[in-house]
Amino acid sequence: MYFSTSSLALLASAPLAALAGKPSPGLDTLAKKAGLKYFGAATDSPGQRERAGFESAYPQYDEIMWKSREFGQTTPTNGQKWLFSEPKRGEFNFTEATIVTSLAHKNHKTLRCHALVWHSQLAPWVEETEWTPEELEQVIVDHITGVMGHFKGECYAWDVVNEALNEDGTYRSSVFYDTLGEDFLKIAFRTASKIDPDAKLYYNDYNIESPGVKAEGAQRIVRLLKDEGIRIDGVGLQAHFVAESHPTIDDHISTIKGFTKLGVEVAFTELDVRMQVNATEKGLVLQKEAYKNAVGACVQVCGCVGVTIWDFYDPFSWVPPVFPGQGAALLWFEDFTKHPAYDGVVEALTNNTGKGKGKGKGKKRSVNLLEGY
Ligand code: 9MR
Protein backbone atom coordinates (compact mmCIF):
# COMPACT_ATOMS: atom_id res chain seq x y z
CA MET A 1 0.00 0.00 0.00
CA TYR A 2 1.37 3.42 -0.92
CA PHE A 3 -1.16 5.58 0.93
CA SER A 4 -3.00 5.89 4.19
CA THR A 5 -6.79 5.85 3.87
CA SER A 6 -6.96 9.53 4.87
CA SER A 7 -4.57 10.65 2.14
CA LEU A 8 -6.47 8.58 -0.40
CA ALA A 9 -9.66 10.32 0.68
CA LEU A 10 -7.98 13.67 0.06
CA LEU A 11 -7.02 12.56 -3.45
CA ALA A 12 -10.56 11.41 -4.25
CA SER A 13 -13.19 13.70 -5.71
CA ALA A 14 -16.94 13.75 -6.28
CA PRO A 15 -17.05 11.93 -9.65
CA LEU A 16 -14.81 9.20 -8.33
CA ALA A 17 -16.92 8.87 -5.23
CA ALA A 18 -19.88 8.22 -7.53
CA LEU A 19 -17.95 5.42 -9.18
CA ALA A 20 -16.67 4.03 -5.88
CA GLY A 21 -17.24 0.34 -5.35
CA LYS A 22 -17.88 -0.29 -9.04
CA PRO A 23 -15.25 -1.90 -11.23
CA SER A 24 -13.61 0.68 -13.46
CA PRO A 25 -15.39 0.81 -16.83
CA GLY A 26 -11.99 1.45 -18.39
CA LEU A 27 -10.35 4.69 -19.47
CA ASP A 28 -11.20 4.24 -23.15
CA THR A 29 -14.87 3.70 -22.31
CA LEU A 30 -14.90 6.91 -20.28
CA ALA A 31 -12.95 8.81 -22.94
CA LYS A 32 -15.47 7.88 -25.62
CA LYS A 33 -18.33 8.97 -23.37
CA ALA A 34 -16.53 12.29 -22.91
CA GLY A 35 -16.42 12.79 -26.69
CA LEU A 36 -12.86 11.68 -27.44
CA LYS A 37 -12.08 9.15 -30.15
CA TYR A 38 -9.85 7.08 -27.86
CA PHE A 39 -7.73 6.74 -24.76
CA GLY A 40 -4.70 4.63 -25.61
CA ALA A 41 -1.32 3.30 -24.56
CA ALA A 42 1.76 2.77 -26.71
CA THR A 43 3.37 -0.64 -26.49
CA ASP A 44 6.44 -2.48 -27.72
CA SER A 45 6.81 -5.98 -29.11
CA PRO A 46 7.82 -8.56 -26.46
CA GLY A 47 10.97 -9.30 -28.49
CA GLN A 48 12.13 -5.68 -28.16
CA ARG A 49 11.45 -5.80 -24.43
CA GLU A 50 13.35 -9.08 -24.08
CA ARG A 51 16.37 -7.50 -25.74
CA ALA A 52 16.16 -4.80 -23.06
CA GLY A 53 16.40 -7.52 -20.37
CA PHE A 54 12.75 -8.19 -19.54
CA GLU A 55 10.96 -11.55 -19.30
CA SER A 56 9.35 -12.86 -22.46
CA ALA A 57 5.78 -13.10 -21.11
CA TYR A 58 3.69 -10.72 -18.99
CA PRO A 59 0.17 -12.17 -18.93
CA GLN A 60 -1.14 -9.50 -16.54
CA TYR A 61 0.27 -6.80 -18.81
CA ASP A 62 -1.32 -8.35 -21.88
CA GLU A 63 -4.67 -8.64 -20.12
CA ILE A 64 -4.74 -4.90 -19.37
CA MET A 65 -3.24 -3.84 -22.72
CA TRP A 66 -5.33 -5.97 -25.03
CA LYS A 67 -8.33 -7.44 -23.24
CA SER A 68 -9.59 -4.67 -20.96
CA ARG A 69 -11.46 -1.49 -21.87
CA GLU A 70 -8.65 0.70 -20.50
CA PHE A 71 -7.17 1.35 -23.95
CA GLY A 72 -8.94 1.67 -27.28
CA GLN A 73 -5.83 2.70 -29.17
CA THR A 74 -2.18 1.84 -29.37
CA THR A 75 1.04 3.05 -31.00
CA PRO A 76 4.03 0.77 -31.65
CA THR A 77 6.76 2.47 -29.59
CA ASN A 78 9.62 1.32 -31.81
CA GLY A 79 8.89 -1.17 -34.59
CA GLN A 80 7.88 1.26 -37.34
CA LYS A 81 10.89 3.53 -36.91
CA TRP A 82 13.42 3.80 -39.75
CA LEU A 83 16.10 1.83 -37.88
CA PHE A 84 13.84 -1.23 -37.81
CA SER A 85 11.68 -0.74 -40.89
CA GLU A 86 14.38 0.07 -43.49
CA PRO A 87 17.69 -0.93 -41.89
CA LYS A 88 19.36 -1.12 -45.32
CA ARG A 89 18.40 0.95 -48.34
CA GLY A 90 15.40 -0.62 -50.03
CA GLU A 91 15.29 -3.58 -47.60
CA PHE A 92 12.14 -3.22 -45.59
CA ASN A 93 11.48 -5.23 -42.43
CA PHE A 94 8.10 -5.11 -40.73
CA THR A 95 8.55 -8.01 -38.32
CA GLU A 96 8.66 -6.02 -35.05
CA ALA A 97 6.02 -3.53 -36.13
CA THR A 98 3.61 -6.22 -37.28
CA ILE A 99 3.66 -7.94 -33.87
CA VAL A 100 2.03 -4.84 -32.41
CA THR A 101 -0.16 -3.87 -35.36
CA SER A 102 -1.64 -7.36 -35.68
CA LEU A 103 -2.41 -7.50 -31.95
CA ALA A 104 -4.07 -4.12 -32.33
CA HIS A 105 -6.29 -5.39 -35.16
CA LYS A 106 -7.11 -8.64 -33.40
CA ASN A 107 -8.18 -6.76 -30.28
CA HIS A 108 -9.97 -3.94 -32.12
CA LYS A 109 -7.64 -1.13 -31.08
CA THR A 110 -7.26 2.01 -33.17
CA LEU A 111 -3.67 2.44 -34.40
CA ARG A 112 -1.56 5.56 -34.40
CA CYS A 113 1.55 4.89 -36.44
CA HIS A 114 4.97 6.29 -35.55
CA ALA A 115 7.29 7.74 -37.00
CA LEU A 116 8.29 8.18 -40.65
CA VAL A 117 10.91 10.95 -40.73
CA TRP A 118 12.88 11.44 -37.52
CA HIS A 119 16.53 12.28 -36.86
CA SER A 120 16.70 9.68 -34.05
CA GLN A 121 16.52 5.88 -34.32
CA LEU A 122 17.42 6.48 -37.92
CA ALA A 123 19.11 3.72 -39.92
CA PRO A 124 22.87 4.51 -39.92
CA TRP A 125 23.07 4.36 -43.74
CA VAL A 126 20.88 7.48 -43.98
CA GLU A 127 23.19 9.54 -41.80
CA GLU A 128 26.47 8.09 -42.99
CA THR A 129 26.01 9.02 -46.66
CA GLU A 130 26.71 12.43 -48.20
CA TRP A 131 23.52 13.05 -50.16
CA THR A 132 22.69 15.61 -52.76
CA PRO A 133 19.28 17.20 -52.09
CA GLU A 134 17.80 15.24 -55.01
CA GLU A 135 19.16 11.93 -53.71
CA LEU A 136 17.89 12.50 -50.16
CA GLU A 137 14.49 13.53 -51.48
CA GLN A 138 14.31 10.16 -53.25
CA VAL A 139 15.39 8.36 -50.06
CA ILE A 140 12.56 10.05 -48.10
CA VAL A 141 9.99 9.34 -50.82
CA ASP A 142 11.05 5.68 -51.02
CA HIS A 143 10.97 5.24 -47.24
CA ILE A 144 7.52 6.75 -46.82
CA THR A 145 6.23 4.86 -49.85
CA GLY A 146 7.58 1.56 -48.50
CA VAL A 147 6.56 1.87 -44.85
CA MET A 148 3.31 3.79 -45.13
CA GLY A 149 2.35 1.77 -48.19
CA HIS A 150 2.83 -1.46 -46.24
CA PHE A 151 0.45 -0.31 -43.50
CA LYS A 152 -1.96 1.45 -45.89
CA GLY A 153 -5.48 1.55 -44.50
CA GLU A 154 -4.41 0.34 -41.04
CA CYS A 155 -3.47 3.57 -39.31
CA TYR A 156 -5.88 6.21 -38.01
CA ALA A 157 -2.92 8.59 -38.03
CA TRP A 158 0.78 8.70 -38.92
CA ASP A 159 3.46 10.82 -37.28
CA VAL A 160 4.93 11.89 -40.60
CA VAL A 161 7.66 14.14 -39.19
CA ASN A 162 8.83 13.85 -35.60
CA GLU A 163 10.77 16.40 -33.52
CA ALA A 164 12.02 18.76 -36.24
CA LEU A 165 12.37 21.72 -33.84
CA ASN A 166 14.91 23.03 -31.34
CA GLU A 167 13.70 24.40 -28.01
CA ASP A 168 13.87 27.97 -29.40
CA GLY A 169 11.51 27.08 -32.25
CA THR A 170 14.19 27.04 -34.97
CA TYR A 171 14.74 23.90 -37.04
CA ARG A 172 16.88 21.17 -35.55
CA SER A 173 20.05 20.23 -37.40
CA SER A 174 19.64 16.78 -38.95
CA VAL A 175 20.60 15.03 -42.17
CA PHE A 176 17.14 16.01 -43.45
CA TYR A 177 17.21 19.71 -42.56
CA ASP A 178 20.91 20.19 -43.27
CA THR A 179 20.52 18.76 -46.78
CA LEU A 180 17.06 19.96 -47.80
CA GLY A 181 16.11 22.83 -45.48
CA GLU A 182 12.42 23.03 -44.66
CA ASP A 183 11.66 21.37 -48.00
CA PHE A 184 12.08 18.04 -46.21
CA LEU A 185 8.81 18.69 -44.38
CA LYS A 186 7.04 19.45 -47.65
CA ILE A 187 8.47 16.34 -49.32
CA ALA A 188 7.45 14.13 -46.39
CA PHE A 189 3.88 15.38 -46.06
CA ARG A 190 3.29 15.59 -49.82
CA THR A 191 4.42 11.98 -50.22
CA ALA A 192 2.44 10.76 -47.22
CA SER A 193 -0.75 12.41 -48.50
CA LYS A 194 -0.47 10.41 -51.73
CA ILE A 195 0.42 7.06 -50.15
CA ASP A 196 -2.43 6.77 -47.64
CA PRO A 197 -5.19 9.29 -48.33
CA ASP A 198 -7.22 8.01 -45.35
CA ALA A 199 -4.56 8.36 -42.65
CA LYS A 200 -4.40 11.62 -40.69
CA LEU A 201 -1.00 13.20 -41.19
CA TYR A 202 0.60 14.58 -38.01
CA TYR A 203 3.57 16.69 -37.03
CA ASN A 204 4.64 15.36 -33.59
CA ASP A 205 6.95 16.98 -31.00
CA TYR A 206 7.64 17.49 -27.28
CA ASN A 207 7.62 20.72 -25.26
CA ILE A 208 4.91 22.18 -27.47
CA GLU A 209 2.16 21.62 -24.88
CA SER A 210 2.42 25.17 -23.43
CA PRO A 211 2.42 28.49 -25.29
CA GLY A 212 5.92 29.61 -26.26
CA VAL A 213 8.48 29.75 -29.05
CA LYS A 214 8.56 26.00 -29.68
CA ALA A 215 4.76 25.75 -29.97
CA GLU A 216 4.96 28.75 -32.33
CA GLY A 217 7.53 26.81 -34.35
CA ALA A 218 5.07 23.95 -34.71
CA GLN A 219 2.36 26.42 -35.78
CA ARG A 220 4.80 27.74 -38.38
CA ILE A 221 5.19 24.20 -39.75
CA VAL A 222 1.42 23.83 -40.05
CA ARG A 223 1.18 27.16 -41.91
CA LEU A 224 4.17 26.34 -44.13
CA LEU A 225 2.45 23.19 -45.38
CA LYS A 226 -1.04 24.62 -45.62
CA ASP A 227 0.21 27.69 -47.53
CA GLU A 228 1.67 25.30 -50.14
CA GLY A 229 -1.58 23.33 -50.33
CA ILE A 230 0.09 20.29 -48.72
CA ARG A 231 -2.10 18.23 -46.39
CA ILE A 232 -1.37 18.20 -42.66
CA ASP A 233 -4.23 17.04 -40.43
CA GLY A 234 -2.89 17.11 -36.92
CA VAL A 235 -0.31 18.12 -34.36
CA GLY A 236 0.80 15.59 -31.77
CA LEU A 237 1.68 16.94 -28.35
CA GLN A 238 4.03 14.28 -26.99
CA ALA A 239 3.61 15.50 -23.38
CA HIS A 240 6.61 14.03 -21.57
CA PHE A 241 6.22 15.89 -18.28
CA VAL A 242 7.97 16.20 -14.93
CA ALA A 243 5.67 15.94 -11.89
CA GLU A 244 7.14 18.97 -10.09
CA SER A 245 6.81 21.40 -13.02
CA HIS A 246 3.97 20.46 -15.31
CA PRO A 247 1.81 22.76 -17.47
CA THR A 248 -1.47 24.16 -16.18
CA ILE A 249 -4.76 23.20 -17.80
CA ASP A 250 -5.10 26.78 -19.11
CA ASP A 251 -1.71 26.49 -20.81
CA HIS A 252 -2.83 23.29 -22.49
CA ILE A 253 -6.16 24.73 -23.55
CA SER A 254 -4.63 27.82 -25.09
CA THR A 255 -1.94 25.78 -26.90
CA ILE A 256 -4.46 23.30 -28.29
CA LYS A 257 -6.66 26.16 -29.49
CA GLY A 258 -3.63 27.79 -31.12
CA PHE A 259 -3.34 24.70 -33.31
CA THR A 260 -7.01 23.98 -33.94
CA LYS A 261 -7.46 27.60 -35.12
CA LEU A 262 -5.09 26.71 -37.96
CA GLY A 263 -7.43 23.95 -39.08
CA VAL A 264 -5.69 20.88 -37.67
CA GLU A 265 -6.70 18.43 -34.95
CA VAL A 266 -4.59 17.78 -31.88
CA ALA A 267 -3.81 14.69 -29.81
CA PHE A 268 -1.71 14.00 -26.75
CA THR A 269 0.50 11.32 -28.26
CA GLU A 270 3.09 10.18 -25.67
CA LEU A 271 1.86 11.35 -22.27
CA ASP A 272 3.88 10.41 -19.19
CA VAL A 273 4.86 12.24 -16.00
CA ARG A 274 8.16 11.31 -14.41
CA MET A 275 9.50 11.92 -10.93
CA GLN A 276 12.34 10.86 -8.65
CA VAL A 277 11.99 7.28 -7.47
CA ASN A 278 10.95 5.96 -5.02
CA ALA A 279 7.81 7.93 -5.63
CA THR A 280 6.74 10.14 -2.72
CA GLU A 281 3.15 10.92 -1.85
CA LYS A 282 3.78 14.55 -2.90
CA GLY A 283 5.22 13.44 -6.23
CA LEU A 284 2.21 11.25 -6.90
CA VAL A 285 -0.20 14.08 -6.05
CA LEU A 286 1.62 16.40 -8.49
CA GLN A 287 1.63 13.65 -11.08
CA LYS A 288 -2.10 13.17 -10.69
CA GLU A 289 -2.60 16.89 -11.32
CA ALA A 290 -0.38 16.76 -14.42
CA TYR A 291 -2.32 13.87 -15.96
CA LYS A 292 -5.63 15.49 -15.03
CA ASN A 293 -4.64 18.81 -16.63
CA ALA A 294 -3.64 17.22 -19.93
CA VAL A 295 -6.63 14.89 -20.22
CA GLY A 296 -9.03 17.58 -18.93
CA ALA A 297 -7.80 20.05 -21.56
CA CYS A 298 -8.27 17.50 -24.31
CA VAL A 299 -11.82 16.80 -23.17
CA GLN A 300 -12.62 20.50 -23.03
CA VAL A 301 -11.38 21.60 -26.46
CA CYS A 302 -13.09 20.55 -29.67
CA GLY A 303 -10.45 19.32 -32.05
CA CYS A 304 -8.44 17.43 -29.41
CA VAL A 305 -9.25 13.89 -30.45
CA GLY A 306 -7.53 11.59 -27.99
CA VAL A 307 -4.83 10.81 -25.47
CA THR A 308 -2.09 8.18 -25.70
CA ILE A 309 0.17 7.38 -22.76
CA TRP A 310 3.67 6.16 -23.65
CA ASP A 311 3.14 2.59 -22.38
CA PHE A 312 1.16 2.12 -19.15
CA TYR A 313 3.38 -0.07 -16.97
CA ASP A 314 6.26 1.66 -15.12
CA PRO A 315 8.94 -0.98 -15.77
CA PHE A 316 8.45 -0.62 -19.54
CA SER A 317 8.78 3.16 -19.57
CA TRP A 318 11.59 4.81 -21.58
CA VAL A 319 12.30 7.09 -18.58
CA PRO A 320 14.54 5.06 -16.18
CA PRO A 321 17.26 4.24 -18.72
CA VAL A 322 17.35 7.81 -20.02
CA PHE A 323 16.98 9.68 -16.70
CA PRO A 324 18.69 7.54 -14.05
CA GLY A 325 16.94 7.88 -10.67
CA GLN A 326 13.68 8.92 -12.29
CA GLY A 327 10.64 6.90 -13.28
CA ALA A 328 7.17 5.99 -11.97
CA ALA A 329 5.95 7.96 -14.98
CA LEU A 330 2.95 5.87 -16.04
CA LEU A 331 -0.38 4.78 -14.55
CA TRP A 332 0.43 1.24 -13.33
CA PHE A 333 3.15 0.48 -10.77
CA GLU A 334 5.46 -2.50 -11.09
CA ASP A 335 3.08 -4.65 -8.98
CA PHE A 336 0.18 -3.74 -11.32
CA THR A 337 -1.57 -1.52 -8.76
CA LYS A 338 -2.69 1.80 -10.19
CA HIS A 339 -1.17 5.21 -9.53
CA PRO A 340 -3.39 7.89 -7.96
CA ALA A 341 -2.98 9.58 -11.37
CA TYR A 342 -5.29 6.91 -12.80
CA ASP A 343 -8.05 8.49 -10.70
CA GLY A 344 -6.93 11.89 -11.99
CA VAL A 345 -7.55 10.68 -15.53
CA VAL A 346 -10.95 9.28 -14.53
CA GLU A 347 -11.84 12.62 -12.93
CA ALA A 348 -10.80 14.52 -16.07
CA LEU A 349 -12.87 12.20 -18.23
CA THR A 350 -15.96 12.30 -16.01
CA ASN A 351 -16.10 15.90 -14.78
CA ASN A 352 -18.89 17.52 -16.72
CA THR A 353 -16.88 20.58 -17.73
CA GLY A 354 -16.73 19.83 -21.46
CA LYS A 355 -17.04 23.00 -23.51
CA GLY A 356 -19.30 21.96 -26.32
CA LYS A 357 -17.61 18.62 -26.83
CA GLY A 358 -19.62 15.47 -27.23
CA LYS A 359 -20.62 12.74 -29.61
CA GLY A 360 -22.67 15.13 -31.71
CA LYS A 361 -20.16 17.55 -33.23
CA GLY A 362 -20.23 20.88 -31.44
CA LYS A 363 -23.15 19.91 -29.23
CA LYS A 364 -23.01 20.24 -25.48
CA ARG A 365 -23.37 16.89 -23.84
CA SER A 366 -24.11 16.16 -20.24
CA VAL A 367 -21.98 13.27 -19.02
CA ASN A 368 -23.83 10.89 -16.75
CA LEU A 369 -21.14 9.12 -14.79
CA LEU A 370 -23.04 5.99 -14.00
CA GLU A 371 -24.92 5.67 -17.27
CA GLY A 372 -24.49 2.18 -18.61
CA TYR A 373 -22.56 0.63 -15.70
O1 9MR B 1 9.87 4.54 -26.09
C1 9MR B 1 10.91 4.60 -27.01
C2 9MR B 1 12.11 3.86 -26.45
O2 9MR B 1 11.84 2.49 -26.30
C3 9MR B 1 13.31 4.10 -27.33
O3 9MR B 1 14.45 3.51 -26.74
C4 9MR B 1 13.51 5.58 -27.53
C5 9MR B 1 14.69 5.91 -28.40
O4 9MR B 1 14.79 7.29 -28.59
O5 9MR B 1 12.35 6.13 -28.12
C6 9MR B 1 11.28 6.05 -27.27
O6 9MR B 1 10.17 6.74 -27.78
C7 9MR B 1 10.34 8.12 -28.11
C8 9MR B 1 9.39 8.43 -29.25
O7 9MR B 1 9.61 7.56 -30.31
C9 9MR B 1 9.53 9.88 -29.69
N1 9MR B 1 9.39 10.80 -28.59
C10 9MR B 1 10.22 10.52 -27.41
C11 9MR B 1 10.00 9.06 -26.96
C12 9MR B 1 10.79 8.78 -25.68
O8 9MR B 1 12.16 8.86 -25.93
Side-chain angles (χ1 to χ4, degrees):
M1 235 331 167
Y2 295 84
F3 289 101
S4 64
T5 321
S6 58
S7 61
L8 266 182
L10 280 174
L11 287 167
S13 73
L16 263 190
L19 288 168
K22 297 189 179 278
S24 167
L27 299 178
D28 184 60
T29 310
L30 295 175
K32 287 183 168 123
K33 277 181 178 282
L36 302 186
K37 289 190 196 299
Y38 58 81
F39 190 96
T43 194
D44 218 340
S45 52
Q48 297 273 42
R49 289 198 296 256
E50 257 184 278
R51 279 188 277 286
F54 291 101
E55 305 283 315
S56 56
Y58 283 80
Q60 216 172 334
Y61 179 93
D62 291 341
E63 192 66 28
I64 297 168
M65 180 70 228
W66 302 115
K67 302 295 173 201
S68 77
R69 309 281 294 274
E70 301 290 6
F71 311 118
Q73 176 273 332
T74 193
T75 308
T77 43
N78 283 300
Q80 292 174 319
K81 291 170 179 174
W82 203 314
L83 177 64
F84 303 106
S85 60
E86 196 187 359
K88 292 195 180 135
R89 189 169 187 184
E91 286 185 23
F92 292 93
N93 184 334
F94 302 112
T95 312
E96 294 296 335
T98 305
I99 293 169
V100 174
T101 58
S102 56
L103 276 164
H105 298 314
K106 187 171 156 217
N107 294 291
H108 313 291
K109 310 289 180 195
T110 298
L111 261 179
R112 288 196 85 263
C113 294
H114 174 82
L116 292 167
V117 179
W118 187 27
H119 67 277
S120 184
Q121 288 183 293
L122 186 55
W125 64 269
V126 183
E127 281 188 298
E128 285 163 4
T129 311
E130 286 270 324
W131 305 104
T132 64
E134 293 71 25
E135 285 167 344
L136 188 59
E137 172 167 359
Q138 194 59 51
V139 165
I140 295 172
V141 169
D142 291 348
H143 181 70
I144 294 177
T145 306
V147 177
M148 206 180 182
H150 180 84
F151 293 103
K152 186 174 177 173
E154 297 187 43
C155 307
Y156 164 75
W158 262 105
D159 293 327
V160 177
V161 174
N162 199 37
E163 301 175 8
L165 295 168
N166 292 314
E167 292 307 293
D168 66 0
T170 59
Y171 288 112
R172 176 198 291 277
S173 168
S174 69
V175 63
F176 305 114
Y177 183 71
D178 298 346
T179 310
L180 288 158
E182 62 185 10
D183 278 357
F184 91 87
L185 290 140
K186 299 181 193 170
I187 293 162
F189 278 86
R190 197 184 287 118
T191 307
S193 69
K194 288 184 198 142
I195 301 299
D196 192 345
D198 295 327
K200 304 269 186 199
L201 309 183
Y202 271 63
Y203 174 72
N204 191 49
D205 212 332
Y206 59 89
N207 289 349
I208 58 167
E209 303 83 7
S210 296
V213 284
K214 196 168 181 187
E216 284 161 24
Q219 291 183 4
R220 191 182 68 238
I221 289 175
V222 175
R223 281 194 298 267
L224 168 83
L225 297 169
K226 285 197 172 269
D227 287 352
E228 293 263 333
I230 300 169
R231 181 160 71 88
I232 173 167
D233 304 298
V235 173
L237 314 182
Q238 292 188 6
H240 294 294
F241 298 137
V242 176
E244 287 76 21
S245 57
H246 56 265
T248 64
I249 189 166
D250 289 342
D251 278 350
H252 286 314
I253 289 175
S254 97
T255 318
I256 296 170
K257 285 185 174 168
F259 289 119
T260 57
K261 262 189 225 146
L262 299 176
V264 287
E265 64 179 46
V266 169
F268 284 92
T269 53
E270 306 184 11
L271 176 60
D272 54 25
V273 184
R274 60 185 184 268
M275 66 182 82
Q276 286 301 123
V277 288
N278 296 320
T280 61
E281 199 167 304
K282 184 173 169 233
L284 292 167
V285 170
L286 291 170
Q287 180 184 60
K288 177 180 178 183
E289 193 177 274
Y291 270 97
K292 191 173 171 180
N293 286 351
V295 178
C298 192
V299 170
Q300 288 185 41
V301 187
C302 278
C304 186
V305 299
V307 177
T308 309
I309 56 176
W310 205 239
D311 216 303
F312 68 91
Y313 181 50
D314 284 341
F316 295 166
S317 166
W318 68 285
V319 170
V322 175
F323 297 100
Q326 296 185 46
L330 298 169
L331 295 182
W332 271 259
F333 290 110
E334 186 164 8
D335 63 0
F336 286 105
T337 58
K338 292 173 189 164
H339 285 223
Y342 179 96
D343 296 341
V345 174
V346 172
E347 287 167 27
L349 294 173
T350 51
N351 273 332
N352 187 12
T353 49
K355 288 182 181 149
K357 188 152 181 166
K359 273 185 181 158
K361 235 186 185 173
K363 274 188 211 146
K364 287 210 175 195
R365 183 166 175 270
S366 158
V367 179
N368 178 353
L369 283 176
L370 299 175
E371 185 190 312
Y373 312 129

